[in-house]
Amino acid sequence: MNPLDHRRCLWLDRDALHTGAVAAIACVLSAGLVYLGYVVHVVLTARRASCLPEHGECLLLFGKHSPDGRLDADFSARIARAAALLRVRRPRMVLLLGGGAPGQRSEAEVAHAALLAAGIAADAPLYLEKNSRDTLQNLRNARTLLSDNAHRGRVTLISSRYHLARCALFARQLGFDWELCAAESQLRWSPMLVYRLAGEAVYVCWIDIGTRWARLIGHRRMLARVT
């Protein structure tokens, strides 16, 4: 399944439509203030995230769509940040997250090849998670891999600044002990960044309000999908 089809399946799912409607109603009834609050949260998370994790024993590197193995600026920055951390201190584990469309290399495989090309030793503790197609699946599968490897400590989530609020939300809901690590040294404003931050705020608003609503009404199926 290609990324567009995967996204369409997610948005047209009945639980997604249900929770999306609840989040939309909350935003409308608040005259947009609820959404504005999530925008502020996403922006502040992006601005305040450190590039140097405090612990760094287990790094989780989030992939990004890379058709035909081509890296865009965002994915390149994520990989460069992981490589820099690996050079400073050898962690216990580095999980490279992300699947791919049929017939394409997975995001994890692309990241693995890029790290080796950047001079990271072939015996570095790199583990590939090649089956996930979105951030929630990334972290669900990572949780399984960490459990299989008996890791119980904090994990460092490495991604683009605009993406970190979503990573943190899912990590919290899935029960991780986590810290954030930004790929970029600082937040550099551009029209594309504004667009991405606004989109992430929609996503975080939808998931957070939807989860709270599911807890309120005791909807186990909804909760099982995000916890």
Side-chain angles (χ1 to χ4, degrees):
M1 184 184 297
N2 63 46
L4 182 59
D5 289 338
H6 176 72
R7 195 173 296 114
R8 186 180 297 115
C9 288
L10 287 178
W11 283 95
L12 295 180
D13 175 83
R14 62 175 176 170
D15 290 339
L17 292 172
H18 181 168
T19 54
V22 172
I25 290 170
C27 291
V28 170
L29 292 179
S30 68
L33 291 178
V34 166
Y35 173 67
L36 180 59
Y38 283 100
V39 171
V40 171
H41 168 68
V42 170
V43 171
L44 289 179
T45 301
R47 287 187 60 186
R48 293 172 176 172
S50 172
C51 296
L52 296 173
E54 295 180 6
H55 298 273
E57 292 302 317
C58 180
L59 309 180
L60 272 60
L61 174 63
F62 288 86
K64 195 170 184 289
H65 183 50
S66 49
D68 300 319
R70 297 190 302 271
L71 297 171
D72 67 5
D74 291 341
F75 202 178
S76 295
R78 298 177 192 185
I79 292 168
R81 179 61 60 194
L85 295 177
L86 277 161
R87 294 189 186 103
V88 171
R89 181 175 65 183
R90 185 185 178 98
R92 181 185 171 205
M93 298 177 65
V94 181
L95 297 188
L96 309 178
L97 308 175
Q104 299 278 340
R105 282 195 298 168
S106 69
E107 296 166 11
E109 290 170 325
V110 171
H112 183 260
L115 286 170
L116 295 182
I120 299 304
D123 65 347
L126 305 176
Y127 295 78
L128 279 64
E129 182 286 301
K130 302 185 289 185
N131 298 314
S132 58
R133 301 308 304 275
D134 56 51
T135 306
L136 177 57
Q137 290 181 3
N138 288 161
L139 287 170
R140 276 190 178 279
N141 292 353
R143 185 171 62 178
T144 300
L145 288 170
L146 291 172
S147 177
D148 290 344
N149 285 274
H151 180 80
R152 295 290 184 271
R154 178 167 293 186
V155 298
T156 302
L157 311 177
I158 305 172
S159 194
S160 306
R161 287 184 178 273
Y162 64 80
H163 185 228
L164 291 176
R166 192 198 318 187
C167 297
L169 173 62
F170 282 132
R172 182 171 62 252
Q173 293 185 173
L174 292 171
F176 282 91
D177 179 10
W178 52 273
E179 63 181 348
L180 298 177
C181 179
E184 307 89 350
S185 59
Q186 60 184 340
L187 197 63
R188 298 183 183 277
W189 290 98
S190 68
M192 178 54 71
L193 176 63
V194 172
Y195 170 78
R196 291 191 180 280
L197 289 169
E200 288 294 317
V202 170
Y203 202 101
V204 172
C205 174
W206 168 37
I207 297 300
D208 189 40
I209 290 178
T211 302
R212 293 171 188 272
W213 174 252
R215 289 197 177 102
L216 180 65
I217 66 175
H219 201 301
R220 295 182 179 179
R221 186 181 68 244
M222 287 183 186
L223 287 174
R225 299 181 64 168
V226 292
T227 59

